Amino acid sequence: MEIDKSSKRRLIILCIDCELLFVMSNNFSIDSILAKRPRKSLIRVFLQSSHLWRRFHSLGTEMIVTKSGRRMFPTLSVLISGLDPMKNYVVTVDLECIELKRFRYSFHQSKWISTGPGESELPSRMFVHPDSPARGSHWMRAPVSFDKMKLTNNQLDSNGHIIVNSMHKYRPRVHVIEQDGSQTRHTFSFEETEFIAVTAYQNHRY
């Protein structure tokens, strides 16, 4: 049986009215429905000077560490997007020991090789960016640099520097932490920023 256009309109209006009555009778709202739906994070972090990091990575990045603490080179710097401009965030960095091994540089093979189990690792300290906490609009305004972060191989360091073991491999991790009561943490890392902590450069090509 065919339905003429006017009948189709009446059916559509009737269906809409029924939906509205159902929503009103159950005290539903569009906002409450959307709030219950899981939201995919839109936060993204991009590595600055990635071409420089990749160049070092191709050689096997070495990061000089000292007892008194030394800044990283290349400097870790990122661009952040997708934050809520009005919400507060804390941005931090820690180092992940990605291989529980000790390394040495083989001059004959011109590469780093594993020499056995690594030393025990202390829980990584967290470097909190000095601008923290700040609104999302602040973090997205310009590159976020961690140029003040220092690394040390002094296991008894009392200056707040990040402690590492020499001849071990690490990867920096950037954490963006929401300050809205949930303390939701978004973590980002980049393979090209992996490095081996050394007290003196081992690779003659540096």
Side-chain angles (χ1 to χ4, degrees):
M1 182 179 68
E2 294 186 0
I3 302 175
D4 58 38
K5 290 184 178 179
S6 61
S7 298
K8 284 184 179 180
R9 291 195 191 96
R10 285 194 294 272
L11 283 172
I12 292 170
I13 293 170
L14 180 61
C15 288
I16 292 173
D17 287 343
C18 289
E19 289 291 334
L20 288 175
L21 285 171
F22 177 76
V23 168
M24 291 173 65
S25 64
N26 289 276
N27 294 319
F28 286 166
S29 71
I30 296 299
D31 289 339
S32 65
I33 294 171
L34 293 177
K36 293 178 182 178
R37 296 178 61 186
R39 296 181 180 180
K40 184 178 180 180
S41 172
L42 300 176
I43 299 175
R44 300 188 68 186
V45 173
F46 304 90
L47 180 65
Q48 289 277 281
S49 303
S50 57
H51 62 287
L52 180 61
W53 280 102
R54 286 195 295 269
R55 185 175 177 183
F56 275 94
H57 184 64
S58 67
L59 300 174
T61 308
E62 300 174 18
M63 201 70 66
I64 295 288
V65 297
T66 62
K67 293 291 185 183
S68 59
R70 179 155 170 163
R71 295 182 180 182
M72 293 176 62
F73 181 81
T75 299
L76 183 64
S77 180
V78 298
L79 281 173
I80 304 176
S81 67
L83 303 179
D84 183 332
M86 302 304 293
K87 184 186 290 186
N88 280 332
Y89 298 85
V90 168
V91 179
T92 69
V93 167
D94 68 357
L95 296 182
E96 176 187 17
C97 184
I98 56 177
E99 292 187 46
L100 297 177
K101 300 176 182 178
R102 186 176 179 85
F103 292 84
R104 71 173 178 84
Y105 188 77
S106 171
F107 292 95
H108 297 295
Q109 301 179 58
S110 296
K111 67 177 184 179
W112 286 92
I113 60 175
S114 170
T115 60
E119 299 175 36
S120 59
E121 290 285 330
L122 295 172
S124 178
R125 286 179 174 174
M126 195 78 72
F127 175 84
V128 180
H129 194 282
D131 289 354
S132 299
R135 288 187 175 182
S137 57
H138 172 81
W139 296 118
M140 296 187 292
R141 186 178 304 150
V144 180
S145 175
F146 299 93
D147 57 325
K148 295 182 179 179
M149 182 172 67
K150 291 185 177 182
L151 311 182
T152 180
N153 59 347
N154 180 8
Q155 300 295 315
L156 301 177
D157 175 75
S158 59
N159 297 308
H161 303 325
I162 295 184
I163 299 172
V164 297
N165 287 313
S166 298
M167 301 301 183
H168 289 61
K169 186 182 289 188
Y170 298 89
R171 181 190 297 159
R173 298 186 300 185
V174 179
H175 306 278
V176 180
I177 306 170
E178 299 181 26
Q179 299 296 292
D180 58 355
S182 68
Q183 297 293 304
T184 302
R185 180 183 305 222
H186 308 268
T187 300
F188 305 86
S189 62
F190 309 91
E191 183 180 355
E192 57 266 48
T193 61
E194 294 175 3
F195 65 86
I196 292 180
V198 298
T199 54
Y201 288 126
Q202 306 293 304
N203 189 341
H204 65 279
R205 290 180 293 176
Y206 265 77

